[in-house]
Amino acid sequence: MTATTIRSLKVHLTGKTRDADVGTITHLKSDGFIAEFDEPSAPVLLPGQPVRFRVCNSGLGGLANGFNERGTIESREQRGSSLLYGIEVPDSGTFARALHGLTDSSSDRRLHKRVPFDGGEAAAAIMHHGSTPAWVRATIIDLSESGIGVACSDTFSGTFRVGDTIKLTFRMPGPSTPITLSGTVRSRIALDRRVRFGIEFAAPSTPADIAGLRMIGEYVVRYLRMMRGIT
């Protein structure tokens, strides 16, 4: 999910009718999100205050396509002419799945651009599946917001079969925290002493999943812009 997609998510405070009570989700966190409201008539909310709100995508018809949620004001920050509120939600998993419904679709996922992964040492990934921990080191070949291509030694190729549900842990280029995403093995191709696996990411179920996919989306956008000579 790219930053542009996130910026299309609007927060409408329940029971409020003024335009100033409509904020924009700017960042996702592990337990909620950051919403930005424009002053001078932004709502006055205090840390610890419970709130009810509706999240919608302004590009998908607005309120009619949104969902209702409850939360608690966790933080408040003045930034220029805006007020930023950190809002904590009680069930982050359900919230993340609802957001995914507003920002992605199966057809969109199939159209995601897959680009080469030029991450140097960051190209290392760890694959794991099964009830017994069995971590295998792999190399990222390419990726998109909907999937990733990795290769590992044929010595370990029998560990993973088409249809297996697995987890991958890896880092994006540059300073970044590790990303762990679930996926399904969709293809298996034998190479010279290696095996390449095509893995389709599972729909995100937590804010951490969404944040990881957002980082991937931003990498894809940067790569495509570079290839087109756009800075």
Side-chain angles (χ1 to χ4, degrees), residues 60-176:
L60 296 178
L63 286 171
N65 290 284
F67 65 93
N68 296 317
E69 185 60 271
R70 298 185 181 189
T72 304
I73 300 300
E74 183 181 35
S75 63
R76 172 179 171 173
E77 178 185 352
Q78 179 84 42
R79 186 174 296 175
S81 61
S82 301
L83 275 176
L84 274 64
Y85 289 103
I87 300 179
E88 180 180 317
V89 296
D91 188 341
S92 59
T94 299
F95 181 75
R97 287 189 289 273
L99 281 187
H100 178 65
L102 288 181
T103 57
D104 207 355
S105 67
S106 57
S107 60
D108 290 335
R109 290 170 67 83
R110 287 193 295 270
L111 293 174
H112 283 150
K113 296 286 187 181
R114 183 166 292 201
V115 302
F117 189 80
D118 186 18
E121 293 183 359
I126 301 295
M127 302 171 65
H128 161 71
H129 86 110
S131 56
T132 302
W135 297 89
V136 174
R137 189 176 182 86
T139 301
I140 301 174
I141 299 173
D142 51 30
L143 80 170
S144 74
E145 291 175 84
S146 59
I148 190 170
V150 301
C152 70
S153 168
D154 59 5
T155 303
F156 305 103
S157 63
T159 306
F160 309 103
R161 295 181 173 86
V162 173
D164 283 347
T165 298
I166 67 168
K167 287 188 176 182
L168 297 99
T169 299
F170 57 96
R171 291 178 182 269
M172 300 302 294
S176 64

